[in-house]
Amino acid sequence: MLRQFELVERVLSYDPQADEGLLNRAYVYTVKAHGAQKRASGDPYFSHPVEVAGILTELKLDMATIITGLLHDTIEDTVATPEEIEEEFGSEIAVLVDGVTKLSQLELQSDRTKQAENFSKLLLAMSNDIRVLLVKLADRLHNMRTLHFIKKPEKRLRIATETMEIYAPLAERIGIQNFRDELEDLAFVELNEEARKSIMRRLEYLREEDEDLVTRIVKDLQSDLAEAGITAEISGREKRPYSIWRKMEQKNVTFEQLSDIIAFRIIVSSVEECYHALGIMHAKYSMVPGRFKDYISTPKRNNYQSIHTTIFGPERQRIEVQIRTRQMHETNEYGVAAHWQYKQQIGAPLNEGQQYRWLRELLEILEEASDPDEFLEHTKLNMYQDQVFCFTPKGDLISLPAGSSPVDFAYAVHTRVGDTCVGAKVNKRMTPLRSVLKNGDQVEILRSKNQTPSPTWESFVVSGKARSAIRRFIRQQQRHQYVELGQSIAEKAFRNFSKPYAEKALAPAIKYWDLDTVEDLYCSLGDGTHTSRQLLEIIFPGEKESQENENVVPITRGKSDRKKTRGAAVPIRGLIPGMAMHFAGCCHPLPGDRIVGIVTTGKGVTIHTIDCDTLEQFAEVPERWLDVAWETESETQHVQVGRINVVMANEPGALSSVTSSIAANNGNITNLVISNRTQEFFEMRVDIEVRDVKHLTNIIAALRADPVISSVERAGG
């Protein structure tokens, strides 16, 4: 454990202006406050905050952060109060200590939802002062160093998992590589001890086989650069076991196939010398194809800069070489801690600039996520994946997770750009929105003010920001449609009782179901949580339905105000699939069919044709049946999918004849499945986009007239 004078000397070594007296007071305060408390290791408890402060001095942080490290557990674990901390050490330190304390209290919850809430609060605290995260990471690092003293295996596993999933990626995102590497490796011990031991044995074998290898290679590289007049600091280091294991898993290779178990770092004085040194390496040694990355011209999202290349080095072994300047090295090792912005502008927002863009994106995701678990899921997407670098038409660099699509790119530019995206040009060529972007692609997003996010986008986007924005839109649209549908159900229910409809009459049901507003009641009816029969039993107990009730519920939808659209019907076909209304995949109802709706709890209404066999399953639950009808067609033509079963001759050109007949009648095939094949015939199921039943009937008639067609029928339920 660091002694008092050693801690003070460390701070003064890089910050001679530090208040030595305040540091001494804080050290003594934490020792007295924690008193005789013990840790799981048996050490005095105050050794933990002292070690946390020591870790923070390695990052050369300001005095307020060091003192926060000393005091971070006093409010939670002793009788100290925030008011007392403020009186003794000032408001700045009191705010930091209080922020770390609140996060620590949340961490006591092992439930996943609580973990997600903890993480979201951590990000909010970071957005005000990044030093809260720095103290939290130092606290977690020391706890991981002493994790083996905890007796309960399940507790060790929970802490290690949380470290691997949340704190190590956060350390990487703010650029503190040493923290990330050590956190991952310490968690690896608990999560996969056997794999770690296996890698350690192999590393030990390599060291014993040629213990002077690193020294010789460093000497040769130093000589190569010196001949060209470049003075460089060169070092070689083994990668940590978890880093090695992760590469083996990602690339599906063996330990022996890895080329960068030992990485050599060349530190020079300027950017020009970086590229000069790279030229010398590639001129003298063969480069391994596909193993070159220039993070100087295109930095990572955490502002990491370096040139990475793999060469067949002096000993004819494949080695990785990293070339950077001293300033880059400081930033790469200490990340945000290398920037003294928070010391020079206390209280200034720290999420400005490229290196904080990821934090802004996480805060946007926090605003859009419906619950903490969803937020945690999106955040992991945002933090874990490798990057691909693309450019806007103006040349601005956009970094995205690997596997990103143009939709991810659009949302990375701005949420509004993503919401209104209708198409994309990649390298000046029209490209499907689901295509995967590659490094160096230039992407131009085509927009329309009438466009809205498509629910199908969620199936191929990979960035957390894009996925959360799409889900947010879907939630809003679903509620809007549930409300419209629920209002129609309520109005129909009143008509069935020959009662005048008024929203005031719904008050008893709102109270009975413990809802807040009439809109909540409509939503509960629309999504199937409650039925119209239950509504009537509450409002008109004991009364029976009118014999002269209307048998059709007009399904309304639209952007206009609900009161204005009351009683006005909108075509069912205009509804967005997957929202409040669904068209059954068993019978594929089309405009012109007689239809019926089945209300499913939490999913809204599914539309079936009146003769669909599936309806037999709901014979015993009449309260789930809803009479619906197609409304008068508007000027805008909408298409829906109809399904036909085709039996055709097995002969050359037969399939071409079928598709040509469908196309000639303005049908668009969306799916075609061959269900059976014999020597004489093919049996196929074909899904076709059509306007209505009449349109599909015309297509069927045209197919029946074709001599290669044996039979064609519309698919039933």
Side-chain angles (χ1 to χ4, degrees):
M1 183 182 72
L2 276 176
R3 287 176 290 182
Q4 184 174 343
F5 77 90
E6 291 174 327
L7 179 64
V8 173
E9 285 180 355
R10 280 197 186 184
V11 177
L12 292 175
S13 67
Y14 64 82
D15 186 9
Q17 306 302 317
D19 189 336
E20 186 176 345
L22 195 62
L23 277 170
N24 283 319
R25 288 214 322 270
Y27 190 102
V28 172
Y29 186 93
T30 195
V31 171
K32 288 183 177 180
H34 290 290
Q37 293 174 350
K38 298 285 186 182
R39 284 175 61 80
S41 62
D43 294 332
Y45 191 91
F46 64 78
S47 65
H48 168 65
V50 169
E51 288 299 321
V52 169
I55 291 170
L56 294 169
T57 62
E58 295 172 12
L59 300 177
K60 300 181 179 180
L61 294 172
D62 65 315
M63 191 180 64
T65 311
I66 305 301
I67 293 176
T68 300
L70 286 170
L71 304 177
H72 77 274
D73 277 338
T74 53
I75 296 177
E76 181 185 355
D77 296 327
T78 75
V79 295
T81 64
E83 293 75 21
E84 187 178 331
I85 297 292
E86 183 172 3
E87 185 178 342
E88 288 282 335
F89 302 101
S91 59
E92 179 189 355
I93 292 172
V95 168
L96 290 172
V97 172
D98 186 52
V100 178
T101 300
K102 289 175 180 176
L103 296 174
S104 299
Q105 290 170 342
L106 281 165
E107 265 184 6
L108 297 177
Q109 305 291 336
S110 60
D111 180 73
R112 178 177 170 81
T113 299
K114 291 296 183 184
Q115 180 197 83
E117 289 176 355
N118 169 28
F119 187 36
S120 63
K121 289 185 179 292
L122 174 61
L123 287 173
L124 288 173
M126 284 164 52
S127 67
N128 293 323
D129 199 322
I130 201 77
R131 291 176 294 180
V132 172
L133 175 60
L134 297 175
V135 175
K136 196 67 206 163
L137 286 174
D139 173 50
R140 177 52 62 112
L141 180 56
H142 186 253
N143 283 332
M144 288 300 296
R145 288 174 178 174
T146 56
L147 183 65
H148 57 282
F149 289 113
I150 295 176
K151 294 180 180 179
K152 293 183 179 180
E154 61 274 14
K155 186 176 180 180
R156 293 199 306 272
L157 181 63
R158 175 182 65 80
I159 294 172
T161 302
E162 187 178 69
T163 299
M164 189 70 84
E165 291 185 349
I166 294 177
Y167 290 97
L170 274 174
E172 194 274 335
R173 272 294 177 258
I174 63 173
I176 308 181
Q177 305 301 323
N178 288 340
F179 274 26
R180 183 205 66 176
D181 291 344
E182 189 174 354
L183 285 170
E184 286 178 339
D185 213 38
L186 291 168
F188 190 39
V189 173
E190 190 63 38
L191 298 175
N192 199 338
E193 187 177 8
E194 285 302 313
R196 189 178 186 278
K197 285 181 178 178
S198 174
I199 291 172
M200 290 296 291
R201 286 193 295 268
R202 296 187 186 190
L203 288 173
E204 187 63 36
Y205 173 76
L206 288 179
R207 292 189 209 108
E208 292 175 357
E209 191 178 53
D210 196 345
E211 59 184 31
D212 294 329
L213 176 65
V214 173
T215 304
R216 294 199 306 271
I217 291 177
V218 167
K219 186 176 179 180
D220 288 340
L221 294 179
Q222 196 97 49
S223 175
D224 295 334
L225 295 176
E227 288 178 10
I230 297 177
T231 302
E233 177 186 328
I234 304 178
S235 61
R237 66 179 184 91
E238 264 179 10
K239 294 208 167 181
R240 289 185 176 265
Y242 177 73
S243 178
I244 294 172
W245 180 82
R246 181 171 55 192
K247 286 211 168 184
M248 290 168 60
E249 289 287 299
Q250 289 175 345
K251 298 183 178 181
N252 195 25
V253 296
T254 64
F255 181 89
E256 289 73 21
Q257 290 174 297
L258 290 176
S259 62
D260 53 358
I261 292 172
I262 300 176
F264 292 86
R265 188 168 291 156
I266 298 175
I267 299 176
V268 294
S269 57
S270 67
V271 173
E272 290 76 10
E273 286 191 344
C274 287
Y275 290 102
H276 190 184
L278 174 67
I280 293 168
M281 293 295 105
H282 283 183
K284 184 159 186 179
Y285 306 107
S286 298
M287 174 193 138
V288 178
R291 297 285 299 159
F292 172 75
K293 293 179 181 177
D294 184 354
Y295 292 121
I296 292 180
S297 62
T298 53
K300 289 186 178 182
R301 279 187 286 182
N302 59 9
N303 220 31
Y304 177 93
Q305 288 186 288
S306 184
I307 294 173
H308 292 195
T309 186
T310 302
I311 59 174
F312 288 96
E315 302 276 328
R316 301 308 301 163
Q317 286 189 337
R318 297 206 321 176
I319 60 171
E320 181 181 76
V321 178
Q322 301 172 359
I323 308 171
R324 62 186 64 161
T325 65
R326 168 58 58 185
Q327 183 180 353
M328 291 174 191
H329 180 66
E330 293 291 324
T331 301
N332 295 347
E333 292 299 300
Y334 302 117
V336 71
H339 303 279
W340 288 73
Q341 179 184 0
Y342 53 83
K343 286 182 284 187
Q344 297 164 354
Q345 301 177 24
I346 297 301
L350 295 179
N351 55 344
E352 295 178 357
Q354 183 64 30
Q355 64 266 44
Y356 298 107
R357 178 172 183 162
W358 65 275
L359 178 53
R360 290 201 305 275
E361 290 178 358
L362 293 188
L363 292 172
E364 285 181 28
I365 292 172
L366 176 59
E367 292 175 359
E368 295 177 354
S370 61
D371 57 63
D373 278 341
E374 183 180 318
F375 169 64
L376 189 60
E377 171 201 342
H378 296 329
T379 303
K380 287 179 182 178
L381 286 173
N382 232 41
M383 292 199 302
Y384 267 106
Q385 296 170 322
D386 292 333
Q387 294 181 103
V388 59
F389 298 98
C390 299
F391 297 89
T392 68
K394 293 182 178 179
D396 296 330
L397 178 68
I398 302 291
S399 59
L400 299 162
S404 289
S405 66
V407 176
D408 293 288
F409 182 94
Y411 277 105
V413 173
H414 195 278
T415 302
R416 184 60 185 159
V417 175
D419 287 345
T420 56
C421 170
V422 292
K425 289 184 178 180
V426 178
N427 302 323
K428 299 184 178 180
R429 295 181 62 184
M430 288 298 298
T431 305
L433 288 178
R434 63 169 54 246
S435 58
V436 177
L437 298 176
K438 301 186 291 295
N439 269 320
D441 281 345
Q442 184 190 73
V443 184
E444 179 185 352
I445 300 299
L446 308 178
R447 302 171 60 191
S448 169
K449 62 180 180 180
N450 297 321
Q451 173 70 352
T452 57
S454 168
T456 59
W457 291 354
E458 192 184 347
S459 65
F460 60 80
V461 296
V462 299
S463 64
K465 182 178 181 182
R467 186 163 295 180
S468 64
I470 294 165
R471 284 189 180 177
R472 181 188 189 187
F473 169 79
I474 292 173
R475 283 195 305 271
Q476 291 172 341
Q477 289 298 308
Q478 277 182 327
R479 179 173 175 84
H480 176 76
Q481 292 196 18
Y482 283 147
V483 167
E484 297 290 346
L485 178 60
Q487 183 182 2
S488 296
I489 292 172
E491 290 175 349
K492 172 181 179 290
F494 272 70
R495 287 197 299 271
N496 287 352
F497 268 64
S498 298
K499 301 286 186 180
Y501 175 78
E503 288 188 349
K504 291 182 180 179
L506 302 176
I510 294 174
K511 183 178 180 181
Y512 184 83
W513 288 331
D514 194 25
L515 302 173
D516 294 326
T517 65
V518 68
E519 191 171 276
D520 291 337
L521 183 141
Y522 289 149
C523 190
S524 72
L525 290 173
D527 69 11
T529 302
H530 300 109
T531 65
S532 59
R533 177 173 294 185
Q534 293 170 336
L535 176 71
L536 296 173
E537 287 174 353
I538 295 170
I539 300 175
F540 308 114
E543 294 192 33
K544 294 184 178 180
E545 291 186 54
S546 168
Q547 295 298 315
E548 298 178 357
N549 58 59
E550 298 181 37
N551 65 344
V552 174
V553 173
I555 305 304
T556 62
R557 182 186 74 94
K559 296 183 179 180
S560 57
D561 183 72
R562 202 169 59 247
K563 293 180 180 178
K564 294 179 182 178
T565 59
R566 183 172 300 172
V570 174
I572 291 174
R573 77 190 73 179
L575 294 168
I576 301 174
M579 299 291 185
M581 189 74 71
H582 309 264
F583 296 105
C586 48
C587 54
H588 290 273
L590 296 172
D593 285 324
R594 291 182 60 203
I595 54 176
V596 66
I598 298 296
V599 180
T600 306
T601 304
K603 293 185 178 180
V605 176
T606 302
I607 304 299
H608 294 262
T609 59
I610 199 70
D611 58 349
C612 179
D613 296 338
T614 308
L615 294 176
E616 294 179 8
Q617 302 173 15
F618 303 97
E620 303 301 321
V621 283
E623 66 274 12
R624 291 291 176 188
W625 289 60
L626 183 68
D627 288 335
V628 292
W630 302 102
E631 297 287 325
T632 304
E633 186 174 353
S634 65
E635 293 180 4
T636 304
Q637 295 291 327
H638 297 276
V639 293
Q640 286 173 219
V641 176
R643 176 171 291 178
I644 59 175
N645 292 322
V646 179
V647 179
M648 68 177 188
N650 184 359
E651 61 182 56
L655 183 59
S656 173
S657 182
V658 171
T659 56
S660 296
S661 293
I662 294 173
N665 285 274
N666 297 317
N668 182 42
I669 297 174
T670 59
N671 194 28
L672 187 152
V673 177
I674 297 175
S675 55
N676 191 24
R677 177 181 179 179
T678 66
Q679 190 171 357
E680 293 82 18
F681 295 102
F682 274 109
E683 294 180 16
M684 298 186 305
R685 184 175 73 244
V686 186
D687 292 344
I688 309 171
E689 286 183 344
V690 293
R691 295 185 299 276
D692 50 29
V693 170
K694 183 179 180 181
H695 187 185
L696 183 63
T697 303
N698 290 339
I699 291 175
I700 291 174
L703 290 172
R704 285 174 176 167
D706 195 315
V708 301
I709 303 296
S710 174
S711 68
V712 54
E713 301 292 340
R714 183 178 175 188

